[in-house]
Structure formats: structure tokens, C-alpha cells
């Protein structure tokens, strides 16, 4: 009886972990996606994993953003999950704050507590800050209904500031950031 109980517990943990990504899987995907600019990627991913655990999805994509007090961000990418496959995702959103500049980024978003693919669609709010000239690597945390999205961005441009805003994730592209 004890052997059966511990075997079923091990099987349940194995099944739970089979829908999540390990740090090495994320780092490998990031290195393949970010290329030569990914020197600090392992440290940023390690910080996310230490703070939030294992993600059950991630998004690889690109985005453009600009701000002069108020800002806009537009992006597109592919959501990867182990148990529900790959899905196109688009995001857009406004921001407001002491924020100036523009950037073009390659973006990896770690997704935590995703109950289903539909759970990624909607508005995820948060606070963001950036300070770089020419290029940079950064991480922010956005939250909605228990689902966390952690964008890790590397890109070119010049950006300085702190803002509050949201990203609206959609299944189809739109110019409306609201």
C-alpha cells in the first residue's frame, strides 16, 4: 500500500511537471531566439525562476514601443505550451508615466499559471521601468486573474523612464491599444 501511494505521488508530480518548462529549456529557447545579444539571459531567467517557479508556457516574439510621457507598445509572437501546442499571440497597450524614447525588441514572455490558451487573452497590468541607450535587456512582471506574464526584452533604441500600463493580449492583430 505504501509503495503504491508513493508511486502514484511520483506519477502525479511527473505529470504536473510535464506541462511546465525547466530553466534549461527556457534558456535554450532564449539563446536560439535572442542569439548573440543573450549574454545576460541566463541571469534574468534564473531570477524569474527563483521568484515565480516553473512556467507552463512561453511566448517568443518581437515588439516596437515608443513613449513621450504616454506610450504605446505593439507586438506579435508565438505562444508555446507543452500540452496545448503553439498559438499566435498579438499584444498592444498604452502606458503613462515619466517615460521617454523608443525601442524595437525581441521578447520572450514566461507565462505562469495558465489554465488554458484562452487564459492568455486579456489585459495584463503592471509597472515597468527602463534605462538604456543603444541596447538593453530587461524583465517586468504583469498579472491578471492569477496568471503571470514575465516579459524579458532585449532590443535596440534609447529609453529612459518608469511607467504604469498594461498589455492587451489578443488572438488577432489590432491597432487599438485599449
Amino acid at each position: 500500500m505504501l509503495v503504491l501511494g508513493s508511486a502514484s505521488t511520483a506519477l502525479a508530480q511527473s505529470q504536473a511537471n510535464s506541462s511546465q518548462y525547466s530553466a534549461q529549456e527556457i534558456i535554450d529557447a532564449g539563446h536560439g531566439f535572442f542569439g548573440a545579444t543573450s549574454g545576460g539571459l541566463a541571469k534574468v531567467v534564473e531570477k524569474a525562476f527563483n521568484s515565480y517557479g516553473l512556467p507552463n508556457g512561453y511566448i517568443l516574439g518581437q515588439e516596437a514601443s515608443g513613449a513621450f510621457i504616454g506610450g504605446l507598445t505593439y507586438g506579435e509572437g508565438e505562444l508555446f505550451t507543452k500540452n496545448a501546442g503553439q498559438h499566435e499571440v498579438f499584444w498592444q497597450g498604452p502606458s503613462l508615466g515619466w517615460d521617454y524614447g523608443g525601442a524595437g525588441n525581441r521578447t520572450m514572455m514566461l507565462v505562469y499559471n495558465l489554465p488554458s490558451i484562452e487564459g492568455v487573452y486579456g489585459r495584463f497590468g503592471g509597472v515597468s521601468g527602463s534605462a538604456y541607450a543603444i541596447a538593453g535587456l530587461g524583465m517586468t512582471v504583469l498579472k491578471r486573474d492569477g496568471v503571470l506574464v514575465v516579459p524579458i526584452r532585449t532590443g535596440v533604441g534609447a529609453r529612459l523612464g518608469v511607467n504604469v500600463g498594461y498589455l492587451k493580449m489578443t488572438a488577432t492583430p489590432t491597432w487599438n491599444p485599449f
Side-chain angles (χ1 to χ4, degrees):
M1 195 74 146
L2 181 61
V3 172
L4 284 176
S6 62
S8 65
T9 301
L11 179 62
Q13 288 175 343
S14 168
Q15 288 172 342
N17 290 338
S18 69
S19 67
Q20 296 174 322
Y21 289 92
S22 70
Q24 192 60 50
E25 288 174 306
I26 295 296
I27 290 169
D28 291 345
H31 281 307
F33 181 67
F34 289 122
T37 62
S38 62
L41 177 66
K43 288 182 181 181
V44 174
V45 168
E46 181 181 331
K47 180 171 176 36
F49 272 66
N50 286 339
S51 298
Y52 308 108
L54 300 175
N56 59 341
Y58 66 92
I59 298 169
L60 296 178
Q62 55 277 335
E63 68 181 21
S65 64
F68 184 77
I69 301 174
L72 294 174
T73 299
Y74 291 93
E76 64 180 89
E78 189 97 16
L79 170 65
F80 295 86
T81 64
K82 285 189 173 184
N83 57 359
Q86 299 175 354
H87 301 270
E88 271 191 311
V89 177
F90 301 88
W91 60 93
Q92 51 285 319
S95 61
L96 185 62
W98 189 83
D99 193 12
Y100 304 93
N105 298 310
R106 291 183 70 92
T107 304
M108 169 186 270
M109 298 184 190
L110 306 179
V111 183
Y112 294 89
N113 308 319
L114 185 64
S116 67
I117 297 304
E118 291 72 31
V120 80
Y121 302 125
R123 289 179 179 84
F124 290 84
V127 175
S128 180
S130 51
Y132 62 89
I134 301 174
L137 177 69
M139 176 182 96
T140 58
V141 179
L142 306 170
K143 185 175 182 178
R144 189 185 108 246
D145 296 333
V147 177
L148 292 178
V149 174
V150 181
I152 299 169
R153 298 176 170 106
T154 184
V156 296
R159 194 83 184 248
L160 176 64
V162 175
N163 65 55
V164 63
Y166 63 82
L167 287 181
K168 180 177 71 173
M169 308 287 233
T170 60
T172 58
T174 179
W175 285 103
N176 181 0
F178 304 103

